[in-house]
Amino acid sequence: MSDYQDILVTGPDSGVMTITLNRPQARNALCNNLLREIAETLDATINDENIRAVVITGGEKVFAAGADIKEMAELDTVGVINDIRPTYWRRIAQYPKPIVAAVNGFALGGGCELMMHCDIVIAGNTAQFGQPEINLGIIPGAGGTQRLLRTVGKSMAMQLVLSGEFINAEQAREFGLVSEVTIPEMSYQRALKLAKAIASKPPIAVRLAKESLLKAYETTLETGLNLERKAFTLLAATEDRNEGIAAFMEKRQPNFQGK
């Protein structure tokens, strides 16, 4: 995990690892290797108790301006069918710990899709979001049509995907694509502060809460409620649940151990 070409990895800092996209010469375009490095870094930390949350950022100027078009242009139909990228996207989507995105500048195409793979998004007020693939004669291929529809609703999802237009940070917040808007210089600090707050919570409960929330996208209300109740019941057997209740009763800070 020490040799990276297209990302920078720092931490853990109070339980938080930061992944910074690091292809400034290409506005952080998501080449195969960059996605591979993200997926492998996340995979390597699934069972690391020192890492309880992750921040993904591109820096103060740009998050990711899209996929690597040069790589895409080299693929014919067979190449697209055999493309390794969907496996990287799947591994990012299945990461069980919370991921907070700090987004500045462009989050377009694959960059917007990577942002939507994160659980919480903090955006700088200069950020712009969009799925402009239609301008290249293609459509989003890493979940853009599906996640946008579930997040911003049919009309805005259709507008973004069919027109290729961008929206700004305040519009993205209005439509639920991001949770907070800050000045660009503070987006990472706010994301890190939030991730640290999450990392201080009982990790088993955090994982089950994330799983329950994400399942709400994919299941009926009844199925989701059943899953939530099972997770709630499982937590009754954890030491952290007993510690949390005891700390509340004793008016002290809890000491969660992930057990």
Side-chain angles (χ1 to χ4, degrees):
M1 289 182 56
S2 57
D3 297 326
Y4 302 102
Q5 293 181 355
D6 296 317
I7 63 173
L8 299 174
V9 178
T10 55
D13 178 6
S14 300
V16 179
M17 174 180 69
T18 295
I19 297 174
T20 303
L21 311 184
N22 188 38
R23 297 188 73 210
Q25 74 285 359
R27 296 194 296 182
N28 291 337
L30 303 180
C31 64
N32 285 359
N33 186 67
L34 187 151
L35 286 174
R36 178 186 64 80
E37 290 183 347
I38 293 175
E40 290 183 355
T41 299
L42 294 177
D43 286 347
T45 64
I46 288 176
N47 296 314
D48 188 339
E49 295 181 357
N50 294 314
I51 295 173
R52 297 186 176 185
V54 175
V55 172
I56 295 181
T57 184
E60 291 185 10
K61 294 183 178 180
V62 62
F63 185 68
D68 191 311
I69 304 302
K70 292 181 180 179
E71 285 186 348
M72 185 184 302
E74 296 173 355
L75 299 178
D76 57 12
T77 301
V78 174
V80 173
I81 291 173
N82 294 325
D83 192 0
I84 190 65
R85 295 165 65 94
T87 65
Y88 299 147
W89 286 114
R90 191 175 304 114
R91 288 155 66 183
I92 296 169
Q94 292 175 349
Y95 188 64
K97 302 179 184 181
I99 303 176
V100 182
V103 178
N104 292 307
F106 291 128
L108 306 176
C112 191
E113 289 170 313
L114 176 60
M115 180 199 75
M116 288 190 288
H117 276 66
C118 300
D119 302 303
I120 301 170
V121 181
I122 308 298
N125 57 21
T126 61
Q128 296 187 63
F129 308 86
Q131 300 288 164
E133 289 90 344
I134 200 74
N135 296 319
L136 301 178
I138 57 177
I139 68 171
T145 61
Q146 305 304 299
R147 288 188 171 87
L148 268 179
L149 190 68
R150 288 163 168 78
T151 303
V152 304
K154 177 184 174 182
S155 183
M156 180 52 63
M158 287 284 187
Q159 179 175 328
L160 289 171
V161 173
L162 299 185
S163 73
E165 293 179 350
F166 305 163
I167 59 174
N168 62 34
E170 287 296 342
Q171 290 172 308
R173 182 168 62 121
E174 177 184 349
F175 286 103
L177 197 58
V178 307
S179 59
E180 293 184 24
V181 176
T182 71
I183 60 173
E185 296 79 8
M186 290 300 298
S187 62
Y188 171 70
Q189 293 303 322
R190 173 55 183 148
L192 182 62
K193 181 179 179 180
L194 183 59
K196 286 181 178 180
I198 294 170
S200 73
K201 309 303 181 185
I204 300 174
V206 168
R207 285 197 185 198
L208 290 177
K210 172 175 173 172
E211 180 183 355
S212 296
L213 286 162
L214 290 179
K215 285 296 182 182
Y217 272 135
E218 305 167 4
T219 62
T220 64
L221 176 60
E222 182 177 0
T223 300
L225 289 172
N226 287 335
L227 176 65
E228 178 189 79
R229 190 62 192 177
K230 288 178 181 178
F232 183 86
T233 303
L234 284 173
L235 289 170
T238 65
E239 294 180 16
D240 279 348
R241 183 255 197 182
N242 295 333
E243 167 63 10
I245 292 176
F248 178 81
M249 299 294 288
E250 297 165 11
K251 302 185 186 306
R252 61 175 173 82
Q253 290 295 316
N255 180 23
F256 297 122
Q257 299 295 317
K259 299 178 181 179

